[in-house]
Amino acid sequence: MLKIIRYTSLVLSVLLLAAGGYLWWQRGSIDPQSVLGGMSVPPGMTLGGPFELMDQNGRSVTDRDFRGRFMLIFFGFTHCPDVCPTELQVVAEVLQQLGPRADRVAPIFITVDPARDTPAVLADYVALFDSRLVGLTGTEAQIAAVARAYRVFYAKVTPPGASTYLVDHSSFLYLMGPDGGFRALFRHGTPPEEIFRAIAAGLGAA
Ligand code: NI
């Protein structure tokens, strides 16, 4: 009898944990109706969330400062040899295609290497691509938090024989809506036209 009670309470605990986990997972989950293009995202997944960081001018900024505009967000680091420069070039091309409508889009580069990417380093770097690009850095903890919210992977690696480290990082481009909610996810290498079309569709509907 005792065994049955123990077993029942164990099953109940597991069920409660599962239900709690499911509800937590569903919190702010993506509404498929609002997705504008790019890769599909598993149902129930959440992407994005609040952040508190510092821009390339040393000003403290939060996600709320961008409400009312779309955010086009890329995570990377200024010492990146290949992926980051090509992706930021794509972002610059998208802005150009948007013309005056680019006013309603905040292009944002968030570093995953805050130790080296100070506001001053970011200011020089983002200016190479487009003067409208916002560079964001923060403490290790702030960067870890925003990376977690966007499910960004990053890890320091030192190639054999190299004197300095690189940072392996996932390289998706995120389109977030004027309400801060997720709108689209683009793989590295997505043509600028496809990203432009998704943003234009969102601007038309907003
Ligand atoms: Ni990179």
Side-chain angles (χ1 to χ4, degrees), residues 76-77 80 83-84 169:
F77 67 114
C80 184
V83 172
C84 293
H169 64 94

Side-chain angles (χ1 to χ4, degrees), residues 19-174:
Y22 179 74
L23 285 177
W24 179 82
W25 184 253
Q26 284 289 310
R27 212 179 34 158
S29 69
I30 295 159
D31 167 16
Q33 299 292 322
S34 69
V35 175
L36 292 167
M39 294 172 61
S40 60
V41 172
M45 190 174 194
T46 62
L47 276 177
F51 59 75
E52 199 176 337
L53 297 166
M54 185 172 278
D55 74 8
Q56 74 267 40
N57 302 309
R59 277 190 299 248
S60 170
V61 296
T62 76
D63 55 297
R64 292 183 303 280
D65 295 324
F66 300 101
R67 287 293 183 281
R69 299 162 77 194
F70 281 76
M71 297 189 290
L72 190 59
I73 306 180
F74 188 71
F75 290 80
F77 67 114
T78 65
H79 288 69
C80 184
D82 41 35
V83 172
C84 293
T86 53
E87 204 58 33
L88 291 176
Q89 194 58 50
V90 165
V91 169
E93 274 175 51
V94 170
L95 293 174
Q96 213 168 352
Q97 290 183 19
L98 283 166
R101 285 182 290 178
D103 287 355
R104 294 162 66 193
V105 180
I108 300 172
F109 177 69
I110 302 180
T111 184
V112 289
D113 185 14
R116 289 187 296 198
D117 290 342
T118 59
V121 170
L122 279 176
D124 288 343
Y125 187 70
V126 295
L128 296 174
F129 301 94
D130 193 290
S131 60
R132 292 165 286 190
L133 203 51
V134 177
L136 297 180
T137 186
T139 63
E140 296 281 352
Q142 286 172 325
I143 295 298
V146 67
R148 205 176 312 123
Y150 282 84
R151 298 170 190 267
V152 170
F153 157 84
Y154 65 105
K156 282 183 190 176
V157 285
T158 306
S163 57
T164 183
Y165 67 89
L166 295 175
V167 187
D168 265 351
H169 64 94
S170 45
S171 52
F172 296 107
L173 192 59
Y174 301 80

